[in-house]
Amino acid sequence: MKEVPNILWLEEIRKEDISSVGGKGASLGEMASIGLPVPPAFVVTAQAFRRFLVETGLDQKIFKVSDNLDVEDNAALEKAADTIKALVIKSKMPSAIKDDIKASYKKMSQKDLIVAVRSSATAEDLPDASFAGQQDTYLNIKGEAALLTSVQNCWASLYGARAIYYRAKQGFEDSTVNIAVVVQQLVHSEKAGVMFTSHPISGEPITIIEGSWGLGEAVVSGSVSPDHYVFDQRTESIAETTIANKKVEIVPDGSHGTKLVAVDAARQDAQVLADAEVAKLAMYGKIAENHYGVPQDVEWGIVAGTIYILQSRPITTIGKKEATGMSGQNKDAKILLKGQGAAPGTATGKVVIIRDAKDTGAVKEGDILVTRMTNPDMVPAMRKVAAIVTDEGGMTCHAAIVSRELGTPAVVGTKTGTQQLKNGQLVTVDGELGLVYEGAVGGAAKAGSAAPVVVGSAPVITATSVKVNVSIPEAAARAAATGADGVGLLRIEHLILGLNKTPGWYISNHKEEEFVKELYDGIKIVLDAFPGKTVWVRTLDAPTDEFRNMAGGENEPLEHNPMLGWRGIRRDLQSPDQFRLQVEAFKRLWKAGYEHLGVMFPMVSHPDQFIKAKEMMRDWGVDVENVELGIMIEIPASAIMIEDFLQAGIKFASFGTNDLIQYTIAIDRNNENVADMYNPQHPAVLTLIHNSIQKCREYGVECSICGQAGSDPKMAVWLVEHGISSISANIDAIAKIREAVARTEKRIILEAARNRDAE
Ligand code: PEP
Ligand code: MG
């Protein structure tokens, strides 16, 4: 058999070469072979790595460290991983390999070309090769010395603690696992992003492209809300273009790294891709899909008008109607904790226990954040982690809402998570089933990757509008990508809570203008993502305890039961200063042409409150008869008095079932001790809902739901059967709610037709 050289060029590689060039290398070679514009690259083969191990004697030394290692002993595992990595990094690379790498680098370009150096796991027979070898990547590498160091760092990354653990658990011999390294011209993309060559859920021939400024990492990591383009392969035309407000981009930094910087004002709202670029990208996507025979998830970049295809891999979500839970696969895995599955998806990572928001500095990318309950100052840390586990809370607590919007798997209400789990412990979180397993359990996403994003244009038209809930503006693009018919609830308190200063702080420090601007900018992001579709913005509704840790929080009253306390419209009516600032932001948005903004008042218990709020708005110059003002129905009183509200002129009503349930059956929505009694389908709750829907129908007023119950397909069926006009669900639930609504509507029509025929 011919000996595999130290280096293979992309043009020489085919997918059969995976054991020499790893998954990434093989895929790039394959793409180049079908004519996709792949940046030039060579691969330092797995055989080169093996020669390095043997010639330096490292194979023996590594064996000595890892032999008899108890991978369950976290400290020992970490120590062994560090020792082996240091050995690999410090050993001298054999000169034959070094010379080959240097010669190839020179061949790419006479000048010091800037390259990306990526590890490419070769364990083709492992169920998840990315687990077997860590996916270390070094961007922006320039010069021979830096290149050689990066190659060696990639080799060392094969011995990360998590990778060793995973291999041990899967029964793979560490001594036989190899790694290849891809060295590729770094495309300093001026714009970049991802593309799904077909709809990732339904598989329809609709290409979805997301793009933003700078390097593609900004889109892949979710640091930016990208522009969203939909190209219909059937009509070969662009079906949808949504321009996002792109605040940040990732650009090369110095000679080795990258950095996140602000996008200049001129480009923030500018369209990233020209129509011709969308069409060309979609065509490349089609080529890839036809070649591989399955829809692809493609990374692309554009420099000076030239498109580069950087990566292509099969989409794994198509046809998986079930959520991403690992049900059935883990009969042998040890369950450490049970709670409520609050945000779907699975992830494996190391536990980091946070007892105070001040400690969030310890949280690293890909960790599993374990805490009593998240609060707004933890949101930056929540963005980084692979999954979230809390002791307290239910499906509508802060952790649950924010995790769903970030697309991060979460289990809430485990009661003892912070006591039972240990810092550094490797666990797998199943955000669907509400389980936390010991160790790395097969089927889970690698740490750091979020639950699959459900994107796509609406495949089904329903008579009942299916809208989406948004709490953090950065989720607006994901929310819009669901094709929802509007926003049925924008909770602005999350926007304020993220600023870490109470509204009272802004007022007493004479920074009202700053507050209005923050509100204006945050709401505008969501309005921009839903052009022509109604966005119901809810006025502030944060219980006093949620404000406590923020600047100004010391002035918040201490309440025995903040849920029943000074929140929602009752607080705004008594604090005109705070209410006026919100109205000022709305007024400016209406003036700027955002006519699709409607305002919804929370925690309303008497029509007088609605009338008073409307009067105050009129006094502040709002043309109250010509804007949409509505109420949340979340207190039984408002359901019972719905007709009075209708006569008072509400333009819409929306069930806030999270609260309506707790106030109807006296079950604290955030108390895990009574979570099993929190019953959205309690007959009393259903009666209140049914009566209110009927009255709204009589008055021709839109009646909706934005509580968590609206994200349950069973409840959606019941609501459609009982005449609801719209349902607003969480981002992750839109597809299944739309399907449930469509089926129910069809069944109702069919039954009516059959009944007519039978008469
Ligand atoms: C509700 O009560 O159902 C609701 C949507 O509001 P929140 O969860 O913000 O209280
Ligand atoms: Mg509520």
Side-chain angles (χ1 to χ4, degrees):
M1 215 164 81
K2 216 172 112 219
E3 197 173 78
V4 179
N6 289 330
I7 303 291
L8 279 175
W9 285 89
L10 222 50
E11 298 72 38
E12 310 171 68
I13 297 168
R14 291 297 173 269
K15 63 173 182 291
E16 299 69 42
D17 296 322
I18 190 162
S19 61
S20 301
V21 299
K24 223 171 263 166
S27 142
L28 285 173
E30 191 76 1
M31 290 192 325
S33 76
I34 55 170
L36 293 176
V38 181
F42 64 84
V43 179
V44 183
T45 61
Q47 286 73 10
F49 170 66
R50 189 92 344 239
R51 281 172 205 130
F52 162 73
L53 289 185
V54 174
E55 284 179 36
T56 53
L58 268 177
D59 52 347
Q60 296 306 319
K61 289 184 204 156
I62 291 174
F63 180 70
K64 266 199 205 123
V65 180
S66 61
D67 195 27
N68 295 329
L69 171 68
D70 173 10
V71 293
E72 298 297 348
D73 177 346
N74 208 51
L77 175 65
E78 286 284 348
K79 195 162 163 247
D82 288 348
T83 310
I84 300 176
K85 280 193 288 185
L87 281 171
V88 174
I89 289 167
K90 279 201 214 110
S91 296
K92 207 162 168 290
M93 191 187 287
S95 47
I97 305 176
K98 207 185 254 181
D99 291 347
D100 281 352
I101 296 176
K102 287 204 267 189
S104 305
Y105 183 53
K106 210 166 247 135
K107 202 169 147 197
M108 270 178 131
S109 156
Q110 283 309 310
K111 284 192 256 82
D112 273 354
L113 189 71
I114 298 178
V115 291
V117 181
R118 303 174 201 269
S119 47
S120 177
T122 61
E124 59 190 310
D125 46 353
L126 289 189
D128 182 348
S130 62
F131 243 129
Q134 304 278 43
Q135 299 295 288
D136 266 20
T137 288
Y138 300 90
L139 298 173
N140 218 24
I141 300 301
K142 190 174 175 201
E144 282 176 352
L147 170 60
L148 292 169
T149 308
S150 304
V151 170
Q152 223 153 326
N153 282 340
C154 280
W155 287 345
S157 72
L158 189 59
Y159 300 101
R162 208 183 305 139
I164 297 176
Y165 182 92
Y166 182 78
R167 292 193 294 264
K169 285 284 147 192
Q170 297 291 326
F172 283 88
E173 269 297 315
D174 244 22
S175 55
T176 61
V177 182
N178 270 341
I179 189 163
V181 179
V182 176
V183 179
Q184 186 170 38
Q185 180 187 337
L186 184 72
V187 173
H188 274 170
S189 308
E190 288 152 6
K191 37 196 182 181
V194 295
M195 157 165 70
F196 290 118
T197 63
S198 286
H199 191 291
I201 299 297
S202 66
E204 276 182 290
I206 289 170
T207 303
I208 293 156
I209 300 171
E210 297 204 317
S212 196
W213 303 116
L215 301 177
E217 273 73 15
V219 177
V220 175
S221 66
S223 325
V224 70
S225 302
D227 282 4
H228 181 81
Y229 308 88
V230 178
F231 186 89
D232 193 330
Q233 296 283 2
R234 293 163 293 204
T235 54
E236 296 197 340
S237 61
I238 298 172
E240 206 180 299
T241 299
T242 310
I243 319 279
N245 176 258
K246 300 160 288 285
K247 283 201 165 45
V248 291
E249 62 184 318
I250 293 180
V251 294
D253 184 21
S255 57
H256 288 355
T258 60
K259 61 181 175 190
L260 189 75
V261 295
V263 171
D264 49 274
R267 287 181 306 142
Q268 278 192 11
D269 295 314
Q271 182 167 338
V272 170
L273 288 177
D275 287 358
E277 289 173 326
V278 172
K280 201 161 180 185
L281 272 170
M283 178 195 74
Y284 287 137
K286 197 84 222 143
I287 293 174
E289 180 171 321
N290 288 343
H291 174 73
Y292 293 108
V294 282
Q296 299 287 299
D297 172 354
V298 174
E299 278 178 37
W300 54 269
I302 297 181
V303 194
T306 304
I307 295 181
Y308 290 102
I309 300 298
L310 307 173
Q311 206 173 99
S312 180
R313 59 192 157 215
I315 300 177
T316 48
T317 51
I318 288 186
K320 281 193 188 163
K321 286 267 158 36
E322 292 293 309
T324 48
M326 302 179 296
S327 27
Q329 288 182 28
N330 298 303
K331 295 195 182 62
D332 302 328
K334 182 169 169 205
I335 295 172
L336 298 175
L337 286 171
K338 286 187 184 158
Q340 284 184 277
T346 56
T348 298
K350 277 195 206 153
V351 167
V352 53
I353 298 173
I354 297 300
R355 302 200 189 272
D356 192 295
K358 290 185 206 79
D359 307 334
T360 50
V363 174
K364 289 196 290 302
E365 205 81 35
D367 279 345
I368 307 290
L369 171 62
V370 180
T371 185
R372 192 174 59 77
M373 173 43 61
T374 63
N375 60 42
D377 29 355
M378 289 188 193
V379 172
M382 292 170 78
R383 287 195 181 98
K384 281 202 239 168
V385 297
I388 292 162
V389 177
T390 68
D391 289 353
E392 299 175 357
M395 294 297 284
T396 64
C397 69
H398 178 268
I401 292 169
V402 175
S403 304
R404 281 194 291 269
E405 295 208 357
L406 293 173
T408 305
V411 176
V412 299
T414 61
K415 295 185 185 169
T416 53
T418 54
Q419 291 153 38
Q420 254 180 275
L421 300 178
K422 300 275 166 289
N423 271 318
Q425 184 178 3
L426 193 76
V427 297
T428 298
V429 175
D430 184 333
E432 181 74 22
L433 299 180
L435 299 174
V436 179
Y437 296 98
E438 186 173 54
V441 173
K446 72 175 192 295
S449 73
V453 180
V454 180
V455 292
S457 57
V460 230
I461 307 288
T462 53
T464 312
S465 310
V466 177
K467 302 185 183 182
V468 65
N469 295 340
V470 179
S471 296
I472 47 176
E474 71 188 84
R478 283 180 81 232
T482 62
D485 299 316
V487 175
L489 167 64
L490 170 58
R491 291 177 166 101
I492 60 169
E493 59 277 5
H494 285 255
L495 210 154
I496 299 304
L497 292 166
L499 302 174
N500 246 329
K501 296 179 191 102
T502 64
W505 183 93
Y506 284 95
I507 293 166
S508 49
N509 287 283
H510 310 294
K511 302 247 192 266
E512 287 93 342
E513 186 53 34
E514 227 177 83
F515 182 79
V516 173
K517 186 156 180 343
E518 290 286 355
L519 275 184
Y520 180 95
D521 290 345
I523 300 169
K524 181 173 173 293
I525 291 174
V526 182
L527 291 165
D528 282 334
F530 288 85
K533 296 177 177 179
T534 314
V535 174
W536 288 339
V537 179
R538 186 175 74 179
T539 53
L540 273 175
D541 183 15
T544 45
D545 56 335
E546 291 199 6
F547 279 146
R548 180 105 45 241
N549 291 334
M550 304 163 66
E554 64 283 0
N555 297 325
E556 291 293 305
L558 267 171
E559 296 183 311
H560 284 300
N561 194 338
M563 280 287 188
L564 298 176
W566 211 33
R567 55 177 286 206
I569 196 67
R570 49 180 87 162
R571 180 165 187 173
D572 271 354
L573 293 179
Q574 290 177 353
S575 323
D577 282 354
Q578 176 182 299
F579 188 27
R580 192 182 52 78
L581 296 182
Q582 299 167 64
V583 174
E584 182 57 33
F586 304 151
K587 263 173 62 183
R588 291 185 195 177
L589 286 159
W590 279 316
K591 192 156 172 240
Y594 291 100
E595 285 169 6
H596 55 306
L597 181 164
V599 174
M600 179 155 74
F601 301 124
M603 296 292 289
V604 182
S605 57
H606 195 285
D608 286 353
Q609 292 172 321
F610 173 76
I611 293 166
K612 178 87 194 295
K614 197 167 154 182
E615 263 169 23
M616 287 165 84
M617 288 178 78
R618 184 187 286 116
D619 289 349
W620 292 325
V622 176
D623 179 6
V624 286
E625 298 310 329
N626 287 310
V627 292
E628 271 202 46
L629 301 182
I631 57 157
M632 305 263 305
I633 302 181
E634 31 186 6
I635 299 180
S638 53
I640 294 164
M641 295 180 75
I642 185 68
E643 187 152 17
D644 300 292
F645 280 99
L646 290 159
Q647 284 173 0
I650 56 166
K651 298 263 175 64
F652 64 88
S654 181
F655 297 109
T657 44
N658 304 342
D659 282 319
L660 185 62
I661 298 163
Q662 74 167 347
Y663 299 137
T664 305
I665 58 176
I667 298 291
D668 178 347
R669 62 191 257 189
N670 285 342
N671 183 339
E672 59 286 354
N673 297 317
V674 287
D676 56 339
M677 285 178 259
Y678 184 86
N679 176 14
Q681 268 135 43
H682 190 290
V685 175
L686 296 183
T687 304
L688 289 175
I689 293 179
H690 187 196
N691 292 346
S692 304
I693 294 177
Q694 277 181 324
K695 278 287 166 237
C696 287
R697 285 172 71 91
E698 268 172 51
Y699 281 74
V701 163
E702 179 169 353
C703 187
S704 189
I705 178 171
C706 57
Q708 177 63 22
S711 293
D712 172 3
K714 267 212 293 302
M715 186 71 170
V717 169
W718 186 91
L719 289 165
V720 173
E721 285 170 349
H722 289 78
I724 198 131
S725 349
S726 64
I727 294 179
S728 191
N730 304 323
I731 297 174
D732 58 273
I734 296 295
K736 60 184 183 201
I737 293 302
R738 193 183 280 124
E739 191 180 319
V741 169
R743 273 182 196 286
T744 312
E745 289 177 348
K746 290 210 171 88
R747 180 168 49 76
I748 293 170
I749 296 168
L750 197 63
E751 277 166 10
R754 283 180 183 147
N755 288 343
R756 248 198 336 266
D757 290 347
E759 276 166 13

